[in-house]
Structures are given as structure tokens and as C-alpha cells.
Amino acid sequence: MKRIFLLGLLIVVAAPLPADEGMWTLDNFPSAVVKEKYGVDLTDTWLETVRSSVARMDSGCSASFVSPNGLILTNHHCALSCISQNSSAKNDLEANGFLAATAEDEVPCQTDRISVLIETEEITRQVAAATAGKDDVKAADTRRRTLKRAVQDCEETSGLKCESVALYQGGQHWLYKYKRYDDVRLVFAPESDIAAFGGDPDNFNFPRWCLDMSMLRVYEGGEPASTPNYLEWREEGLDAGEAMFVAGRPGRTQRLLTVSDLKFLRDTSIPHWLLRYVELRGRYIQFAQTSDEARRIVHAPLQGIENGIKVQRKRLDALHSDALFAQKEQAERALKAAVAADPVLAAEVGSAWSTIERANETYLGFRDDYIFIEGGAAFNGKLFNYARTLARAAAEREKPNAARLKPYTEAALPRRKQLLLADRPVYPELETLQLSFSLDKMREFLGPDSTFVHEILGRKSPEALAAELVAGSRLADAAVRAELWSADWATIRASKDPIMRLALAVDDRARALRKRYEDEVEAPVDRAYEKIAKALFAIHGTSTYPDATFTLRVSYGAHEGWTEKGSDVRPWTTLAEIYPRVTGEAPFRLPASWADAEKSMPGGTKFNYVGTTDIIGGNSGSPAIDRDGRLVGLIFDGNIHSISGSYWFDSELNRTVAVHPEIMIESLRSIYGADHLLEEMGIPER
């Protein structure tokens, strides 16, 4: 197990980084390490190309520009919400795929937004100065207000869209400044049967055969946006063993967490999540079996929940690894010893670890209430989410910007409005299922004698109350939501909509729980991690990478397989190898358009491949890039070992899984007849 890298241990012993680890910020990319290992000299120009051509899908994925006309490449599963929103029983884009022959045929993705990073600015000193000398609670409140003001000032002075970003668990604070595209349209999507071939059984596994790609386009002023910085294709892809790079927005890693926080995840958070969502998955499957239409409308949420369950199970397995956990404990003991040996550090850092442990004990005392009431686990579904957004937006807009809840600041409101007013389908049967399930879980976890449970359910069953609320609400109508969005707080409070009444009824209790969490858990934990970060910087500087934060990162590695149970795994698959796996039944079914693929495309066409790059959820849709800045693949998954990358990295087993450029180009040409897209991307005729 010596190959396992634990960041805390590295910091203490100041050892060199092992192979291919890290999701690096552009300002701190280890160019010298890459040059020494791979002989690749990544220049500032290369990094600038990455910054300007790689985008963030604010719904939770990554993407890249692949033409000068706003054309974007990402995963099919990243565009699935757009595909679903534009589907119907008569025109099922998930099942049948989609190709816009002209710009006029491209359809809007109402809830998607694309962000491109323009520049960053560190504001750590300003935040530290504002919070100096204050106790934990006052420091936390001051920090929140300071960051909100910084974001507001940034947007007013730069003309860009700004976000505050905490790195190294709050050891650094930055402003990230973005250009935003709110007009996003669907250009191409293959059928789900080939995009997600193998379904949940193949998910997080390799070998794979998935055409998990889609194309979107961003618009400005009603016209395709000008995007002169884009990635050009390298059609043949990488050679075996060649260096590769992944640029994208990895969502969240937790490699800097203390042992106490990791134990909390292992013993409480993840098991609790699995208990609820495994049962919800069963209800979704049961619902899907009632009709073809039910199967269609539950497909996207079921796919998402199956992915989440597999991720959480493997994370739990990782946290139950005695050997790995022992190394984490050893690393923490070593860091504590290094702090204790330095009187200055000991005075500054003090009992930070025990502070986090006490905060976790405190949180256990009200966690279920917080998760179900403020976290909304008692009220699943779009309708309650709409209602809470409307109620809180009206209430928060009456406050000064710095005093508002973060999701309702001036910087955040446009996204809230976009998601709220998007005219996307709401299916009453699915809403009723989701709400009745969550009300049932509320009663189970909070207890049938809970005062809150009695206030919500009264004498009704979860099923009866959910059916009554959904049937009586008008919030499924986007026009009704638009009218309420423009209403003042008094009008919102007077609403007779039953789900609005529910959201208003629980809001005082929910806000009180939020305040308790902020004061008793978040405030001391944030201050403790700031102190630990000081120790890390004092001992090792910033030559290590911060945890992922859904901000732009670059990882490096090579196109290599691995050894699984004594057998070498070849690092790519070919088209010919998919046919023996085809059964004719989902999830091993090919769409009708692929019936002649065996004849029309060369069997040796490379399909999917793996590399040693360090990735995590959020990297979906990231481009794989070669040393010359060319597109050599599309990241869509990791192997099963990569899931533990949330907490640590195993360079011998963790692998990135990507769609090969050969299959993307060949299928666009031979299956879908998308010659106009190939021409736009500068790919010559065969």
C-alpha cells in the first residue's frame, strides 16, 4: 500500500509528489514535475489556451469550445437535463437522439448556463484582516459578509460575473471572474442506448463502449457567440504511454479532511444517504414499470440516483479500508507532532483538530432535523423547491445584500431566476411519488411523535398529503412562478397555493436550524481548518494542490492501463468488440441507427480509453488534451478505483475513462451524417 499518497503525510515529510497526482490550479501547476517525468514543457501559452477554451456547465459538468462559433463538446449525461426538457412522449430525444441541421433547428437548454474563467484574484489578506480578533461566530459572520461585498464590488468594477472561492479548506480566499452565457442550445445528442451503453452495470467500469458525447452552442444577442479560442481535434488520439492532460471543473474532493470528519462521513453521512436513496431507487424502478411513459419520465432521475448510489457505496468501502484509514491517522498524528514541536505554530493552531471533533458531536444532536427541514430532505420534488425559492427570494430581497443568504445575493439571483422560470415539464405522478417518499422518510427519521412531523402530516398519511399538495398547486405553471417572482414579501405570505403555504410554514424552523448549524458547526470548523491550513503552509508552502472546488483545474498523466487481479487491462477498446456484448435488451442494446455500423465503420475504430490522470465528479465533459493543446478525448467516467479519489489517490489503480476521438468523428460522419459539424470543427473529409 506504499503507493497510496496521503497529502498530510507528504506535507510532513516533504516527499516529492508521486506519479500523476493532483488537480492543480493554473497559477500553481507543477510544470517542472511534468517536464521531468514526461519531457513535456507546458508553457504559459498552453495554460492560457486551457483557460480560455475550457468551460464550466453550471449544472455540474465541464465542457470545451471546439469551433470559433460557440460550439461546445460535453457529455451526453451532462446535457441530459436539456435533452429531457425538450422530450415528450411523441418526440423522445433521449431514445431517438437529436441533430440540428441548421442553427434555426437548435433547441434551447433553459436551465443550462456556461461560464468561462477570465481571471482570478486572491483576497486572503482582506478576509483575514476583517476576521482578526473575533470569536468563531463573529468571524464566520464577518467572513460571509466580507466575501459577499467582495463579489458585489468585483461585478460592479469588472463587468464580469464573480464568485468567491475558498482553497485549502479556507486557508486561501479568491475571486474567480467569469464570462457567462445564459443562452445555450442543443445541437447534437446520440441516442441514450449508445451514449450510455452498458448502463448501470458498466458504470465506473472498464472496458467500456459509450458514445457519451453531446454538442451545445452558446449564443449572444440571438447569434452564435464568437469563440476564437477553441480546441482543435487530433483525430487519431494518443499513442499508448503518451502524456495526456485533463482540464475541467472537478466537483469536490475531501483529501484534506481531518480523521474526525472522515469518520463522520463513514459512520453517519454516507450510511444515512444510502438508506434513503436505495429505497427511492426501488420506488423509481417500480414506477417505471407502470407504463412506457412512466419509464421515459423517470429515466433521467433514475440514472442519476443509480450513479450516486454506486459512488457512495464505493466511497464507504474506501473509508472502511483499515490500511488506508490507518495511514490517514498516521499522517494526522505526524502533522500534529510537527505543530507541537514549533511553539509559534502550536500557539496559532492549538486544538484545531479537537474543535472539529467537538463540532461533529454537536451536529449529531440536531443533524436529522437540519437535513430534513432546512436541507429539504422532507420535501423532495420541483414544486417545493420552487416554493422555497420564491418565499426566500422575496424575503431576502428586502435585506441589504451583505446580510442575505448567499443563494439570494445580487450575484446569485440571476441563476435562481433562470432555474425558477424555465418552462420545463413537471410530472404530477413523479412529484407525488417523490414528495410522499420524502414525507415518509421524515416521519421515519424524526419519529412519529415529533412535533414537527405532527404539524406537517396532521392526521394524513404521507401519500395522501403529497397527492393533495401536488393536485392543489399551480406552481408547475411557469407563468404563475413568474408572477410570484415579481411579487413582494407581503404578496408571497398571502399566497393560497398549498405548497407555498407549506414552504412558508416551515421556513422559520428551517432558518433557525440553519443559524444553529452556522454558529455551532460551520463557524468553529471553518476557523479550525484555517488554523490547520496555516500549519500546512508553514511546513510545506503551497507546493501541494488544494481540494477540488468545482473550479478550473488541470491534471496530468499518461494513456496507460493497469493490472487488475493479476491481469493487464488494455487501455483502449474498439468498435468491433461491442457487438459480442449486444443482447438486444437495455442496457446492452444498440439503437436502430447503429444497425449497419458493423458494415459502415472500421472495426478497429477506437471507442473508449483510459489514462492515469487524477479526476473526480464534475470532470465529466472535460477535454483530454495533448502536449500541443489539441483535443484527444472526452472524459466521461473513471474506473471503480477512481471513486476513492474523493479521499486519496492510488496511482497504480485510479484511471480516467474517456471517449476516443476516432469514434466521435466516425459516428458523426457515418452514422449521423453530421458533415456540417465536422466542417465547422475543421475536420477534413475522409
Side-chain angles (χ1 to χ4, degrees):
M1 303 302 291
K2 291 182 179 178
R3 64 179 182 269
I4 303 295
F5 165 67
L6 292 173
L7 183 58
L9 186 59
L10 162 71
I11 291 166
V12 173
V13 302
L17 278 170
D20 304 344
E21 171 150 4
M23 304 169 201
W24 297 87
T25 55
L26 267 62
D27 64 284
N28 196 31
F29 187 77
S31 299
V33 174
V34 172
K35 185 174 183 178
E36 180 179 356
K37 180 172 185 184
Y38 291 109
V40 176
D41 190 5
L42 296 186
T43 64
D44 290 343
T45 300
W46 189 96
L47 292 170
E48 176 61 20
T49 297
V50 166
R51 183 201 60 73
S52 58
S53 59
V54 178
R56 183 181 75 185
M57 294 186 68
D58 289 355
S59 55
C61 282
S62 302
S64 60
F65 291 110
V66 289
S67 93
N69 304 313
L71 190 65
I72 283 177
L73 177 68
T74 189
N75 291 142
H76 181 275
H77 74 262
C78 293
L80 191 55
S81 62
C82 176
I83 297 167
S84 299
Q85 290 163 23
N86 286 286
S87 293
S88 66
K90 294 182 179 180
N91 184 27
D92 188 349
L93 304 188
E94 290 184 54
N96 302 325
F98 175 80
L99 174 64
T102 67
E104 289 73 24
D105 298 323
E106 295 170 5
V107 297
C109 299
Q110 296 186 62
T111 59
D112 280 310
R113 185 176 72 176
I114 301 295
S115 297
V116 181
L117 183 65
I118 303 300
E119 60 179 293
T120 61
E121 176 188 352
E122 187 174 4
I123 56 170
T124 306
R125 289 185 179 180
Q126 296 93 306
V127 175
T131 58
K134 294 180 171 62
D135 63 35
D136 291 347
V137 173
K138 289 183 179 178
D141 182 64
T142 301
R143 186 185 306 109
R144 285 190 289 268
R145 290 172 180 265
T146 300
L147 292 172
K148 290 171 191 173
R149 280 193 294 268
V151 168
Q152 185 176 15
D153 291 345
C154 173
E155 294 201 346
E156 291 174 355
T157 58
S158 70
L160 299 170
K161 300 301 181 182
C162 303
E163 297 175 4
S164 62
V165 176
L167 300 180
Y168 299 99
Q169 307 297 96
Q172 290 182 353
H173 292 277
W174 292 74
L175 288 173
Y176 276 50
K177 307 174 186 181
Y178 294 94
K179 178 176 177 59
R180 290 253 165 85
Y181 297 94
D182 296 313
D183 187 351
V184 183
R185 306 184 194 182
L186 181 65
V187 177
F188 166 74
E191 306 90 335
S192 287
D193 279 344
I194 189 63
F197 182 82
D200 188 56
D202 271 359
N203 192 23
F204 289 108
N205 285 302
F206 191 83
R208 294 285 288 281
W209 293 266
C210 291
L211 188 66
D212 194 350
M213 67 176 295
S214 63
M215 288 184 171
L216 310 172
R217 193 185 304 278
V218 294
Y219 280 70
E220 283 189 300
E223 299 293 331
S226 174
T227 51
N229 298 315
Y230 62 93
L231 299 178
E232 296 182 355
W233 291 71
R234 177 178 163 188
E235 298 178 54
E236 74 278 11
L238 296 163
D239 296 328
E242 184 179 349
M244 63 179 284
F245 306 89
V246 174
R249 270 73 178 181
R252 185 186 181 198
T253 55
Q254 297 171 306
R255 298 178 187 178
L256 291 175
L257 289 188
T258 63
V259 168
S260 175
D261 270 346
L262 290 174
K263 286 181 177 178
F264 195 89
L265 287 171
R266 182 192 67 192
D267 301 336
T268 303
S269 298
I270 296 178
H272 183 282
W273 190 95
L274 284 169
L275 279 173
R276 289 186 290 127
Y277 280 91
V278 167
E279 183 175 340
L280 181 57
R281 175 182 179 269
R283 296 202 188 188
Y284 279 169
I285 291 173
Q286 187 177 35
F287 175 71
Q289 293 170 345
T290 60
S291 70
D292 289 342
E293 177 64 357
R295 184 180 301 108
R296 183 188 71 80
I297 65 178
V298 82
H299 175 261
L302 177 58
Q303 182 174 318
I305 206 172
E306 286 181 333
N307 182 76
I309 288 170
K310 185 169 282 190
V311 167
Q312 295 289 28
R313 280 175 170 167
K314 293 308 295 183
R315 285 177 177 171
L316 193 59
D317 287 347
L319 291 172
H320 276 291
S321 168
D322 291 339
L324 294 177
F325 218 89
Q327 289 190 44
K328 186 67 178 179
E329 290 173 324
Q330 179 186 355
E332 187 166 295
R333 285 194 300 270
L335 181 56
K336 288 179 180 178
V339 169
D342 184 325
V344 175
L345 274 182
E348 289 183 341
V349 177
S351 57
W353 290 272
S354 58
T355 296
I356 293 171
E357 192 167 354
R358 287 194 301 272
N360 283 331
E361 292 171 357
T362 298
Y363 186 32
L364 274 175
F366 67 97
R367 181 185 179 277
D368 284 349
D369 282 354
Y370 178 80
I371 292 294
F372 278 93
I373 301 172
E374 167 58 15
F379 312 109
N380 287 357
K382 291 179 182 176
L383 294 179
F384 182 84
N385 185 51
Y386 289 152
R388 174 167 279 183
T389 297
L390 287 164
R392 289 195 169 175
E396 295 298 305
R397 282 195 299 248
E398 295 193 347
K399 302 176 184 178
N401 191 61
R404 297 180 191 176
L405 298 177
K406 186 176 180 180
Y408 300 94
T409 59
E410 290 301 312
L413 278 175
R415 178 62 170 165
R416 287 277 161 181
K417 182 179 180 181
Q418 179 191 20
L419 294 173
L420 178 78
L421 301 189
D423 191 10
R424 44 184 168 165
V426 175
Y427 302 104
E429 304 95 330
L430 183 59
E431 285 288 313
T432 302
L433 182 158
Q434 292 169 326
L435 184 55
S436 65
F437 168 80
S438 57
L439 290 170
D440 183 40
K441 294 298 103 178
M442 172 195 71
R443 183 174 62 183
E444 176 183 331
F445 280 87
L446 302 189
D449 296 323
S450 161
T451 301
F452 182 79
V453 171
H454 278 289
E455 290 173 357
I456 299 302
L457 293 179
R459 294 182 176 274
K460 296 183 176 72
S461 69
E463 295 77 13
L465 179 60
E468 177 185 306
L469 291 170
V470 172
S473 179
R474 298 178 60 223
L475 295 181
D477 187 337
V480 171
R481 300 196 300 273
E483 182 179 348
L484 290 171
W485 176 262
S486 301
D488 59 17
W489 178 224
T491 302
I492 292 292
R493 283 185 298 175
S495 172
K496 302 300 182 184
D497 187 280
I499 294 187
M500 281 297 309
R501 299 308 307 163
L502 174 64
L504 290 164
V506 304
D507 203 49
D508 285 347
R509 178 75 177 274
R511 285 175 179 268
L513 285 164
R514 184 188 187 107
K515 184 68 167 65
R516 183 179 179 187
Y517 177 82
E518 289 175 347
D519 291 352
E520 298 181 22
V521 181
E522 188 176 76
V525 167
D526 284 353
R527 177 59 67 86
Y529 273 114
E530 282 184 1
K531 293 177 179 179
I532 293 172
K534 284 185 178 180
L536 301 182
F537 295 152
I539 295 169
H540 204 66
T542 57
S543 60
T544 58
Y545 60 93
D547 267 324
T549 54
F550 197 44
T551 52
L552 183 58
R553 303 294 178 90
V554 178
S555 58
Y556 64 90
H559 175 27
E560 295 177 359
W562 76 100
T563 301
E564 185 74 35
K565 298 178 181 178
S567 298
D568 291 338
V569 178
R570 193 185 68 188
W572 69 84
T573 60
T574 65
L575 173 61
E577 295 163 337
I578 194 174
Y579 301 112
R581 294 173 62 85
V582 175
T583 66
E585 297 292 334
F588 297 99
R589 175 178 61 202
L590 287 178
S593 65
W594 282 67
D596 296 325
E598 195 167 5
K599 299 176 183 177
S600 62
M601 292 196 296
T605 302
K606 290 184 177 178
F607 215 115
N608 294 157
Y609 73 95
V610 295
T612 64
T613 45
D614 191 0
I615 66 162
I616 201 70
N619 271 122
S620 289
S622 295
I625 305 172
D626 72 1
R627 66 179 65 202
D628 296 320
R630 294 175 295 177
L631 180 72
V632 290
L634 175 63
I635 309 307
F636 74 96
D637 205 357
N639 67 357
I640 201 71
H641 306 292
S642 71
I643 296 175
S644 64
S646 293
Y647 312 119
W648 35 64
F649 182 77
D650 185 334
S651 61
E652 292 190 16
L653 293 177
N654 287 31
R655 290 296 181 269
T656 296
V657 184
V659 189
H660 199 281
E662 284 188 358
I663 194 63
M664 289 190 279
I665 292 170
E666 192 61 41
S667 61
L668 286 171
R669 177 181 289 129
S670 301
I671 301 293
Y672 300 107
D675 292 342
H676 61 296
L677 295 181
L678 295 174
E679 181 180 359
E680 179 180 345
M681 293 185 290
I683 298 172
E685 294 183 12
R686 188 166 50 198

